[in-house]
Every structure is written in C-alpha cells, then in structure tokens.
Amino acid sequence: MASTLLSSPLQGFTDFRFRNAFNHYFGGIDTFYAPYIRLNGKLKIKQSYQNDLAPENNTTLEVIPQVMTNDPDEFLYVIKYVQSLGYKELNWNLGCPYPMVTKSGMGSGLICNPDRINEVLHKAHNESDIVVSMKMRMGYENAEEILDAFPILDQYPLKNIAIHARIGKQLYKGPVDLDAFEKCISSTKHKLYYNGDITSVASFKAIQQRFPSIDHFMMGRGLIADPFLPSMIKNNTTEYPTDRWSIFSEFHDTIYQQYDEYLSGPTPIKMKMLGFWEFFSQATSNPKKTYKAIKKATNPVKYRTAVNQILNAEMKIKKDA
C-alpha cells in the first residue's frame, strides 16, 4: 500500500518560506499543513497569517490551512476567510500541547470537552460547505479523553483525524503510546492518520508494520531535523544523496536569505535560525557541539562562519567515510 506523507504544522517553523524551500530541495511530502490561525477573540486575520496562506506564496504545493479555536463564531470566520482564498479544507487543531494554549481550553486542552467540540462542528457543518479535518492528541490528562470525543466526532463527515500518539501533558517528552493509538483505530468510523516520532526510515517502517491499515503518516519535528527523510521513505532507502550537505547548504542559504529580508535586524534572524538549528543539529555528527557553535555566533558574520565550518566538517566526514 502506497503511503501518503504529510508535513505537520509547527508554529514558528513551517511557514510558506520553509515549505517552498523544503519542497524544492528535498521533496517527499504530499501535503503541507499551514501553522494554525489563532484569532484571540478578535475577528481579524493577522498579516502574517494572510502572507502564509496567500495563493501567490503557495503555487507549487498542496497546502491545508489550520485553525486554533474553541469558539464556533471564530471557526466560521476563519472558514469564510480561507474559502475566499480558494481553500476547500480547514484543519482544526486539537493537538497543541503547550500550557498557554491548553489553559485557555484550546488545542489538546479541548479534547476533554465533547460538548464544545460538538458546538463548533455543528456550526461549521450547518453554516458552511467546507471540508473539516482534525489534528488531535489522545487527550491532555489521559489517553481516554479522545475515546469519549469519538461519539461526537462520528456524527460529522470529517475528512480524517490525524492523531499524535501522546497526551498533551507530555509535550514531546517520553515515548509515543502505540497501544492507545491502536485502540483509537477500532473506536471511530473516521479515517485516521498517524503522527508522532517518525524520525528515521526504520521508525517509519516499524509504525507501518504495526498499523497496516494506516496509509497516511504525518511528520513534524523529524522532518525539520532530517529534511531528506520523507524522500528516503518514499524511495525505500536509508542512503543519503552523495551531495547531501551541498543540498542542505543551498536550502539553508535560501531560507536564511528570505527570513533575513523579512525580519528586521540581526537579533530576530539569529533567534529564528537558532530555533531551526535545534533541529538541524540533530542530523550532524556532533549535535551538541554544532548547536553550541551556532549559539555562540553573536552576529551575522560569525553565524555564516559557524555554518560554513559545520557543513565543511560534515562534508569532510562524508568524504573520509
């Protein structure tokens, strides 16, 4: 069975600049989910969200917008906005684990409230014709919460439910709970997508073998840490391209230049790239040393020098291997 690979949205990372560069240099992802739109009580779409979803910024790949809300009117407002741009589907985020979100009864903090979920979905399906899909954890406090939500979800024609196989309280710590995910498969009529800890070809194959009925797999942090992973999964290989670090270098320079043009001043671009290198460093031969070198680079010139030294060292290791 052919697998469909999806890019899970990560706030602050997977905007249109990253998505377009990723698609150009690496490929392997069939559909990208845009980071969530959050209205914070005001029926107004922030400029950064408008830029991210603008059709002219997403011409070469399939993108699905996402919303973070627990309010039926906000949900409908975002539906109308994304439909005005030509999007046919809206993904609802009930997966975000961060306390600033969950304490407001959103993200994975909403899974324990089936009545509110019902209110939102009822309005969306009664007052619009958009296709709704879900991105969820298995709960916030425990993995039983999603099981209590399924009877409500089963009342609606959802396209799919992508489940990150952790509870919100875990954040990204500890192992995924594959037994709890397996329970989900037999507890809902909806099509499920798997998400969580796909960080290598071997880990992907293990998940695929464990859940033969699942054919859509979502990748988040693993995709940023190793951008070659989706295409390697698609090509059923554990071999990296011979020019791996040259390709990565071009990708890095592309996103660096675009973020540098967009962000004002040396501090924002340093913080932006430092965030990326938390992930990028994991694919290098010495992650701690790599990340430390990036952290110590206090200005753009030092940053570029550090990046060149890191990539040259990786190329040398590859050559000597």
Side-chain angles (χ1 to χ4, degrees):
M1 180 164 55
S3 296
T4 299
L5 300 184
L6 314 142
S7 167
S8 178
L10 267 76
Q11 214 68 8
F13 292 98
T14 59
D15 69 359
F16 73 93
R17 298 171 187 87
F18 175 87
R19 295 192 300 263
N20 288 326
F22 185 99
N23 193 53
H24 176 76
Y25 288 103
F26 307 109
I29 290 294
D30 297 290
T31 302
F32 291 81
Y33 288 79
Y36 60 72
I37 294 172
R38 186 176 174 184
L39 298 183
N40 294 319
K42 296 175 186 171
L43 295 183
K44 190 178 177 192
I45 306 289
K46 281 198 314 193
Q47 189 61 50
S48 59
Y49 299 145
Q50 292 183 40
N51 294 343
D52 192 44
L53 292 176
E56 63 270 22
N57 290 333
N58 296 282
T59 57
T60 58
L61 38 100
E62 185 183 354
V63 175
I64 295 170
Q66 186 182 75
V67 63
M68 166 87 76
T69 187
N70 59 9
D71 182 273
D73 293 325
E74 284 190 356
F75 199 96
L76 193 62
Y77 183 83
V78 174
I79 286 173
K80 288 175 178 172
Y81 176 70
V82 300
Q83 283 186 318
S84 75
L85 299 177
Y87 293 99
K88 304 282 192 288
E89 178 181 341
L90 181 61
N91 186 263
W92 189 16
N93 184 318
L94 269 69
C96 183
Y98 292 110
M100 59 182 282
V101 168
T102 57
K103 282 175 184 171
S104 306
M106 289 189 281
S108 59
L110 183 56
I111 300 169
C112 64
N113 191 344
D115 290 342
R116 179 55 66 88
I117 293 170
N118 188 41
E119 283 175 39
V120 175
L121 290 176
H122 184 267
K123 192 171 187 80
H125 286 93
N126 272 34
E127 299 183 33
S128 84
D129 60 353
I130 199 148
V131 173
V132 177
S133 57
M134 310 282 290
K135 170 95 167 69
M136 303 180 72
R137 292 236 172 173
M138 291 182 299
Y140 183 76
E141 292 286 345
N142 64 72
E144 302 295 308
E145 289 174 26
I146 196 170
L147 302 179
D148 293 334
F150 279 144
I152 295 295
L153 299 178
D154 280 356
Q155 293 174 27
Y156 295 96
L158 304 174
K159 181 185 169 191
N160 65 273
I161 304 171
I163 300 176
H164 183 128
R166 283 187 173 88
I167 56 170
K169 238 174 32 171
Q170 281 183 268
L171 296 177
Y172 292 97
K173 295 168 189 161
V176 286
D177 188 342
L178 300 183
D179 291 341
F181 181 82
E182 187 158 2
K183 205 182 281 186
C184 291
I185 297 174
S186 58
S187 301
T188 177
K189 69 177 191 180
H190 288 302
K191 182 175 181 66
L192 299 187
Y193 295 1
Y194 176 85
N195 180 212
D197 285 13
I198 296 175
T199 55
S200 65
V201 174
S203 64
F204 169 77
K205 285 186 171 175
I207 297 290
Q208 195 181 35
Q209 283 167 5
R210 172 82 189 260
F211 305 116
S213 66
I214 302 293
D215 59 0
H216 284 64
F217 300 87
M218 199 174 251
M219 304 167 68
R221 296 168 305 141
L223 170 150
I224 302 176
D226 186 355
F228 292 95
L229 183 55
S231 60
M232 288 165 69
I233 288 171
K234 282 285 178 77
N235 294 318
N236 193 27
T237 180
T238 54
E239 293 291 317
Y240 287 93
T242 51
D243 54 352
R244 170 186 181 180
W245 293 106
S246 300
I247 296 170
F248 178 82
S249 176
E250 286 184 42
F251 163 73
H252 168 275
D253 291 353
T254 298
I255 61 170
Y256 180 89
Q257 183 187 343
Q258 290 183 9
Y259 286 122
D260 198 28
E261 286 169 6
Y262 168 63
L263 299 166
S264 49
T267 303
I269 185 65
K270 175 183 167 54
M271 297 312 294
K272 180 64 124 177
M273 297 313 295
L274 190 61
F276 275 115
W277 277 99
E278 273 191 67
F279 295 105
F280 293 160
S281 62
Q282 294 170 31
T284 65
S285 48
N286 191 332
K288 278 188 181 172
K289 186 180 174 187
T290 295
Y291 187 63
K292 193 175 175 186
I294 295 293
K295 211 171 179 180
K296 280 169 64 180
T298 50
N299 62 47
V301 174
K302 287 179 179 175
Y303 174 82
R304 289 190 170 278
T305 301
V307 170
N308 287 338
Q309 287 173 346
I310 289 162
L311 297 183
N312 286 338
E314 296 301 328
M315 287 179 196
K316 188 173 186 304
I317 291 167
K318 168 76 181 163
K319 207 173 174 183
D320 293 345

